[in-house]
Amino acid sequence: MSILTVTNLVKHFHTRVGAFGGKPVTIRAVDGVSFHVDAGEAFGVVGESGCGKSTVGRAVLHLIEPDEGMIELDGTDLADLRPSEMRALRPRMQMIFQDPYSSLNPKQTIGAALSEPIRVHGKASGDAVMQKVKTLLEEVGLPAAAADRYPHEFSGGQRQRIAIARALTLDPDLIVADEAVSALDVSIQAQVLKLMKELMERRGVAFLFISHDLGVVRTFCKRLAVMYLGRVVESGPVGTVFDKPLHPYTHSLRAASPIPDPSARKALARLSGEIPSAASPPSGCHFHTRCPYATELCRTQTPKTVEPVSGRTVACHLHDPDQTDAMLATKQNAIQELFFYD
């Protein structure tokens, strides 16, 4: 059963560039994103910097208001809630931020930081509050005595454990983890990921896991969505998507990820150029300016999202059955060069 369902999510930012007030510009950060997260699973969102994945996470939590689309938590449309109803629902959704150094108040002890949401939301009172805090610290692998210390007394990995404990204070159903391990050393990453996986299994909490690191996503997540310039270009089970990508962009991401034996790497997609600006995205398929298999159709028509295999989606003309004849030669070439690894 889905704990989170996102349908056609849109978020644009309006700003100005240039001197003397400048020219108005619309940044199309998220442009029609859809996915769902099942209860108790880790769902990954991957893509290059600037693709809109962090904006998706903040919109899901209503830290920023979406312009269009539907966000449902356990069947409840968040857009229909009054402010008081949204406040009552917020304990069920929590966030772990990227930077463990700036996400904690340096003037608060750890005990004060963790006990505040417990008191505000009435989860406990009196001595039971600090007892819950100490239990949470022990659950994330820290001593109960850490409650009396300040953030600067901890390492980065320990601070991220504290951030995880803070996300757990209100017993949420969903945690949005935005690059939650990217600021940590690799060995510490493994420890924190192991902790998060144990918590997910023990508590049944779901994770919306936002990352640019494919190796981390493969380790932690069950399913994922691949984003490019505000759109989901492919989604499905992690292992299947990475081992047999359907979209040229997914293949390029996979190609850029280190593998143990470089000599075993198949000839990979030729990806060149920088990601276009979200203020002026390309027409048609946003990826056509960098795709070695782009045709005139890709430059003029936005591809539909189709489900070529059960449980997988892809937004690419190469997989649209309505475009089979027009794309036949290109598709045959792409299948040979791109879509399957040895």
Side-chain angles (χ1 to χ4, degrees):
M1 184 180 70
S2 296
I3 188 67
L4 174 70
T5 303
V6 176
T7 308
N8 293 325
L9 178 66
V10 174
K11 180 60 185 179
H12 297 167
F13 296 98
H14 305 284
T15 186
R16 291 178 177 272
V17 295
F20 307 107
K23 177 183 177 181
V25 172
T26 298
I27 308 296
R28 305 173 71 90
V30 179
D31 208 12
V33 165
S34 299
F35 61 88
H36 72 275
V37 182
D38 291 335
E41 81 158 339
F43 183 88
V45 180
V46 302
E48 292 172 283
S49 296
C51 71
K53 54 188 186 292
S54 291
T55 302
V56 168
R58 283 162 171 75
V60 162
L61 295 177
H62 273 240
L63 298 180
I64 55 176
E65 292 296 322
D67 296 329
E68 297 177 22
M70 181 181 296
I71 300 171
E72 296 175 285
L73 182 70
D74 202 13
T76 300
D77 186 355
L78 302 188
D80 292 339
L81 299 181
R82 296 190 295 270
S84 59
E85 294 172 326
M86 188 67 208
R87 283 194 298 272
L89 193 67
R90 281 198 180 279
R92 300 182 62 187
M93 305 183 295
Q94 296 296 306
M95 188 164 194
I96 302 171
F97 294 94
Q98 176 178 1
D99 187 357
Y101 293 91
S102 62
S103 62
L104 295 169
N105 187 341
K107 296 182 179 181
Q108 273 190 323
T109 64
I110 301 308
L114 298 185
S115 63
E116 185 175 6
I118 297 173
R119 289 195 176 95
V120 167
H121 289 277
K123 292 291 184 178
S125 60
D127 294 340
V129 175
M130 194 51 63
Q131 183 57 49
K132 183 175 176 66
V133 167
K134 292 178 179 179
T135 300
L136 283 167
L137 288 171
E138 291 172 349
E139 189 175 10
V140 298
L142 294 173
D148 299 322
R149 296 161 62 186
Y150 287 86
H152 72 270
E153 300 180 66
F154 297 91
S155 67
Q158 290 173 323
R159 291 190 196 193
Q160 202 62 306
R161 289 174 182 266
I162 294 166
I164 293 170
R166 182 176 57 185
L168 295 172
T169 54
L170 302 178
D171 302 313
D173 298 313
L174 173 72
I175 293 176
V176 177
D178 187 4
E179 300 281 8
V181 297
S182 64
L184 308 177
D185 292 339
V186 174
S187 60
I188 305 302
Q189 280 187 4
Q191 296 173 21
V192 173
L193 286 171
K194 180 181 178 183
L195 169 64
M196 291 168 65
K197 184 169 287 190
E198 290 172 351
L199 292 170
M200 180 172 61
E201 293 172 353
R202 183 165 62 247
R203 285 174 167 258
V205 62
F207 280 84
L208 179 61
F209 192 81
I210 298 166
S211 179
H212 67 277
D213 190 325
L214 303 190
V216 168
V217 170
R218 185 162 198 158
T219 298
F220 185 67
C221 298
K222 179 182 178 182
R223 297 183 301 115
L224 85 160
V226 181
M227 286 189 65
Y228 183 80
L229 211 62
R231 298 174 178 173
V232 172
V233 297
E234 183 170 355
S235 68
V238 167
T240 308
V241 170
F242 285 162
D243 291 342
K244 292 187 177 181
L246 298 177
H247 197 282
Y249 177 63
T250 309
H251 186 277
S252 298
L253 284 182
R254 180 67 181 86
S257 182
I259 61 174
D261 182 9
S263 64
R265 187 186 296 274
K266 187 182 171 87
L268 298 169
R270 304 175 299 278
L271 181 61
S272 61
E274 297 295 326
I275 185 171
S277 170
S280 55
S283 59
C285 174
H286 285 350
F287 188 58
H288 83 256
T289 58
R290 305 171 73 190
C291 180
Y293 303 99
T295 67
E296 186 60 30
L297 183 67
C298 303
R299 299 181 183 94
T300 57
Q301 292 187 25
T302 301
K304 297 185 298 184
T305 298
V306 297
E307 189 176 8
V309 181
S310 179
R312 298 189 65 179
T313 68
V314 61
C316 179
H317 290 303
L318 291 170
H319 296 279
D320 185 352
D322 294 336
Q323 305 294 347
T324 299
D325 293 337
M327 300 291 291
L328 185 58
T330 300
K331 183 172 182 177
Q332 288 175 337
N333 181 46
I335 286 175
Q336 292 175 0
E337 294 186 17
L338 177 60
F339 293 126
F340 296 99
Y341 286 85
D342 289 335

